[in-house]
Amino acid sequence: MDIDAFSAVHGDKWSRLHFLAHKRRLTGAEADELLRLYQTVSGHLSLIRSVAPETALSATLSAGLAQARTRFTGARSNFMEDLAGFFVISLPAAFYRIRWLTLWCGLAFVVVAGAYALWIGTSAEALRAVGSDARIQQYVDEDFIDYYSENPAASFAGAVWTNNAWISAQAVAFGVTGFWVPYILFMNAQGLGIAAGLFLATGKMDVFFSYILPHGLMELTAVFIACAAGLKIFWAMVRPGPRTRLQAVADEGRSLITIALGLVLVLLVSGMVEGFVTPSPLPVWAKITIGALVLAGYWVYTLVLGGRAARTGVTGDLDANDAGYRSIAA
């Protein structure tokens, strides 16, 4: 066989295969054409290899066929597209699905924390049970405030970030137990409520809010999001609907572990605010405004991008290929 003559006859098909295999998006007609060309060029490659197995031409055709095969088997396009899809579609959709449960977790937290604050702040007996007058005064005047500035801002922000990310990951991962999320919410609400009660008893609630609100608005919301995700997985086990319990938990678990990954970045932002903004000499109104803008940014991201993605059916779950499902041809 004359390789040069064979190339001259079929070169246009090979060039077209290469073009379609590397094209970013294909129409339906182009996808059909690519499949036909793949089958045709596969035959050409077999014929060429039977005559001259180790040539530059056979290597080129093999590479083009491999790229075409990648398009048919559904291999991932590229890392940057996947990353953009995660942050623009999957993550906001997952946040959006649990928006109401997030608010309910926040409401429960506020009720418990508020009850403890009123109890400690208005009951002399409860206040004495917390500590002596001197110890309480030291906490209000020094310990609480020094906590935010006793370490370098960068290391403090990093420590806060890792600690809160760990708590949030536990809430998502262990939410299926049914008791871990209420436990986390109650313990954190109790701690915050007692601290608020000490400031209420000493008439310094303005100081308390000036240090809590800048970072706490987003930090606590992140905890509520994680708790909502955990409860969603638990409810999938309790009420699986038409799915088996195992399938329901697997579906929700994959979707909501997406939230645990996203919260790592959310908590990084709140950790930076806590490390650099909360103890800063900025006016209180400016610090609280920064915290409020971060929180507003989260809800805009969730309601706008998440709502748009959710309306198209996105849940935050992996696609069928990555989830391990296989389609079997009849």
Side-chain angles (χ1 to χ4, degrees):
M1 182 180 71
D2 187 335
I3 297 296
D4 292 335
F6 192 76
S7 299
V9 172
H10 300 292
D12 291 344
K13 293 185 178 67
W14 301 343
S15 297
R16 182 63 175 170
L17 173 75
H18 181 274
F19 172 77
L20 293 176
H22 289 83
K23 188 177 180 182
R24 186 178 181 85
R25 296 183 184 279
L26 297 175
T27 64
E30 288 173 333
D32 292 339
E33 182 185 3
L34 180 59
L35 179 58
R36 290 193 300 270
L37 286 171
Y38 176 83
Q39 295 169 335
T40 300
V41 176
S42 294
H44 295 167
L45 179 60
S46 297
L47 184 59
I48 291 172
R49 281 180 170 171
S50 68
V51 177
E54 300 297 334
T55 63
L57 178 59
S58 64
T60 300
L61 292 180
S62 180
L65 289 168
Q67 179 63 27
R69 186 164 55 249
T70 297
R71 302 298 296 269
F72 295 134
T73 55
R76 303 308 298 256
S77 52
N78 63 61
F79 173 75
M80 294 308 297
E81 287 184 357
D82 295 341
L83 194 64
F86 176 80
F87 286 109
V88 177
I89 300 174
S90 298
L91 181 59
F95 283 153
Y96 184 84
R97 289 182 63 222
I98 59 170
R99 64 196 185 283
W100 291 114
L101 196 51
T102 298
L103 293 176
W104 280 111
C105 287
L107 179 61
F109 182 96
V110 169
V111 169
V112 173
Y116 268 96
L118 288 174
W119 179 42
I120 299 296
T122 58
S123 170
E125 292 183 359
L127 190 62
R128 283 195 299 269
V130 174
S132 64
D133 291 344
R135 182 70 186 89
I136 292 172
Q137 203 64 45
Q138 179 182 346
Y139 175 80
V140 171
D141 293 338
E142 300 176 23
D143 294 351
F144 182 83
I145 297 171
D146 291 345
Y147 167 75
Y148 295 100
S149 57
E150 60 186 359
N151 293 306
S155 61
F156 177 65
V160 168
W161 173 39
T162 53
N163 178 68
N164 289 331
W166 173 237
I167 292 174
S168 298
Q170 290 181 66
V172 177
F174 300 143
V176 70
T177 63
F179 70 85
W180 193 253
V181 167
Y183 172 77
I184 289 177
L185 280 175
F186 179 81
M187 294 303 295
N188 281 275
Q190 182 188 55
L192 186 67
I194 291 174
L198 298 180
F199 279 87
L200 178 62
T202 54
K204 296 184 176 181
M205 284 299 288
D206 57 331
V207 176
F208 175 79
F209 284 124
S210 70
Y211 278 88
I212 286 294
L213 290 181
H215 65 276
L217 289 172
M218 189 67 252
E219 182 179 86
L220 289 175
T221 300
V223 174
F224 305 153
I225 295 166
C227 289
L231 289 176
K232 187 78 171 176
I233 297 173
F234 170 70
W235 193 245
M237 182 179 68
V238 175
R239 294 283 299 275
R243 303 169 292 180
T244 66
R245 280 185 168 79
L246 184 61
Q247 181 186 356
V249 171
D251 291 346
E252 294 295 345
R254 286 192 308 269
S255 299
L256 299 173
I257 286 297
T258 298
I259 290 176
L261 297 176
L263 285 179
V264 171
L265 293 180
V266 172
L267 287 167
L268 174 61
V269 175
S270 68
M272 297 293 287
V273 173
E274 187 168 359
F276 291 93
V277 176
T278 297
S280 73
L282 288 172
V284 173
W285 66 265
K287 293 191 285 187
I288 295 177
T289 298
I290 291 172
L293 288 174
V294 172
L295 179 63
Y298 164 78
W299 280 110
V300 169
Y301 174 76
T302 297
L303 296 178
V304 175
L305 293 184
R308 182 185 305 159
R311 285 189 290 273
T312 64
V314 177
T315 65
D317 194 2
L318 300 174
D319 61 30
N321 185 56
D322 288 342
Y325 300 132
R326 297 179 181 272
S327 54
I328 302 175

